[in-house]
Amino acid sequence: HEWHSSNLGDYHILYPDMAREIAYFDDICELQAYVKGQGAIMIPHHVAYASGSRGTDWSRFDPGASPVVEVFSEHGSSETEWGPWPMVGHSMGPASTTQTVRHALDQGRVFGFTASTDDHLGYPGAYGEGLTAILAPELTREAVFAALRARSTYAVTGDRIGLWFSLNGATMGTVLPSQARREMTVRVEGEDELASVEIIKNGRVWRRLLGSEAIPFPPVERPVTLKLRVEWGWGGMGSADVVDWAMRMTVSGGEIRSAVPHFQSGPFEEGRRNRITELSDRVCAWESYTSRRQAFRGVATNSVVLTIRGGKDAILTLETEKPSARRVQMSIGEALQGNHVERMGSSFSAETLLVHRGIELVDLRRDWRLRDEDEPERERDYYYLRVLQNNTQMAWSSPIWVEN
């Protein structure tokens, strides 16, 4: 459940088990004491709104109750007051410099990063509105909760960007004692081409990593592994129509390694669901619906990202049953050369299907090792990783701190 305050900010309360009831407090100190006594945590939401406009009151922040902080949600990015994801979608106004995550870190506060949809349409994990990656040894409630407490997390806007950041072998979220040697490992695997990979140190860009210093991967062997994004939707401007889709991808001469859904929450439709209905190493099928009504930031599309392995002569066949029958066929080699646009009707404003240009997995992966040999700058230096793809999707690692 959530706790709201115009002056103190909004908090999402998470309990370690389901045997709890919603508790009501007017005083944030009483709430924090209750949360810690319950073994729960409270996550500050959309922290960068101005003070008095439901931005977090950082002077009342308690890291014992709030080990992680939301850096992104459907409200926008709270990392800084600038960037590709401004806070424009609600009535609380823009981000304020002194409210941002970056400013709070500069003041010496310690917390990990999360992202969450804050969505009110009943679709957890809605694409583009924020997701949290949990670094845990197993997929159990206890392990996930322990990872949140340990700040073993990173945040993404929508694409499930693979990310690893460590310092002297310590994982993201760790506070290290004084270290004369500071060696970092960075690994990134995007779902789209990488635009920038940066290490932020003490509030500034310390290193931009894309370039010649990247450790090369071995030469690509054939067959190839590629990521292929299939996207559908669009439709007439101003239209409130809801359009149903049914599609099926078949691979001949290769195999489907995974299928990642990127489904929006809107519009809310009780009788409709976005879902993958079949998945094997040869076939992926899904049902969906799209509309410009309640589309997140006006982007009226859904998509699935497929990881496919096969020779360049392997055949990909995409068939649509709804909203109209279409059949698109291409080889993996052709998919790597360019995209394919398919209209679902005769009008220029008809719904549209887009098979994006495929990208070989080797071109989406990067790996660096580097060392900071500068003198300590603060009582506690902090570092975190920030990733931006060409399609504007982003990721942020939780920071690592080094005591001096």
Side-chain angles (χ1 to χ4, degrees), residues 150-364:
R151 304 180 293 269
S152 295
T153 60
Y154 69 87
V156 302
T157 53
D159 277 9
R160 286 160 168 82
I161 298 169
L163 185 155
W164 178 261
F165 178 51
S166 66
L167 194 155
N168 290 356
T171 59
M172 56 193 87
T174 303
V175 179
L176 289 169
S178 179
Q179 309 273 307
R181 173 183 60 88
R182 300 183 182 184
E183 295 183 350
M184 282 163 268
T185 297
V186 174
R187 297 190 184 98
V188 177
E189 182 179 311
E191 284 195 332
D192 192 70
E193 291 181 331
L194 298 172
S196 68
V197 178
E198 300 170 321
I199 295 178
I200 309 300
K201 176 186 178 183
N202 296 336
R204 71 183 190 281
V205 177
W206 177 69
R207 291 287 187 276
R208 286 188 172 92
L209 300 181
L210 282 182
S212 59
E213 61 184 297
I215 298 170
F217 277 77
V220 181
E221 298 179 358
R222 297 298 183 259
V224 300
T225 302
L226 73 154
K227 289 196 176 183
L228 187 70
R229 189 183 303 252
V230 181
E231 188 173 6
W232 58 92
W234 289 275
M237 292 295 294
S239 172
D241 293 345
V242 178
V243 178
D244 291 301
W245 296 77
M247 280 172 278
R248 181 184 182 89
M249 172 71 81
T250 304
V251 178
S252 177
E255 61 177 334
I256 298 172
R257 293 286 181 87
S258 67
V260 178
H262 291 323
F263 295 150
Q264 285 202 43
S265 58
F268 177 76
E269 289 282 334
E270 187 61 54
R272 289 180 166 99
R273 292 293 182 270
N274 294 303
R275 57 193 169 193
I276 293 176
T277 57
E278 181 182 355
L279 181 60
S280 69
D281 61 352
R282 293 291 185 268
V283 175
C284 181
W286 56 90
E287 297 174 351
S288 178
Y289 65 97
T290 59
S291 177
R292 290 193 179 273
R293 176 167 59 88
Q294 293 181 316
F296 178 62
R297 298 203 174 200
V299 181
T301 64
N302 285 319
S303 61
V304 168
V305 176
L306 299 158
T307 301
I308 301 171
R309 183 167 178 79
K312 289 191 174 181
D313 293 332
I315 298 300
L316 312 177
T317 304
L318 181 62
E319 297 173 289
T320 66
E321 178 184 348
K322 300 176 182 178
S324 58
R326 295 288 187 276
R327 189 173 188 269
V328 177
Q329 192 169 80
M330 65 185 72
S331 67
I332 283 181
E334 290 170 333
L336 291 169
Q337 293 300 312
N339 71 3
H340 179 88
V341 178
E342 187 79 21
R343 292 283 184 190
M344 294 291 109
S346 58
S347 168
F348 69 87
S349 62
E351 281 66 34
T352 304
L353 171 68
L354 170 62
V355 182
H356 288 245
R357 178 178 63 85
I359 307 175
E360 288 193 43
L361 193 59
V362 70
D363 294 327
L364 297 173

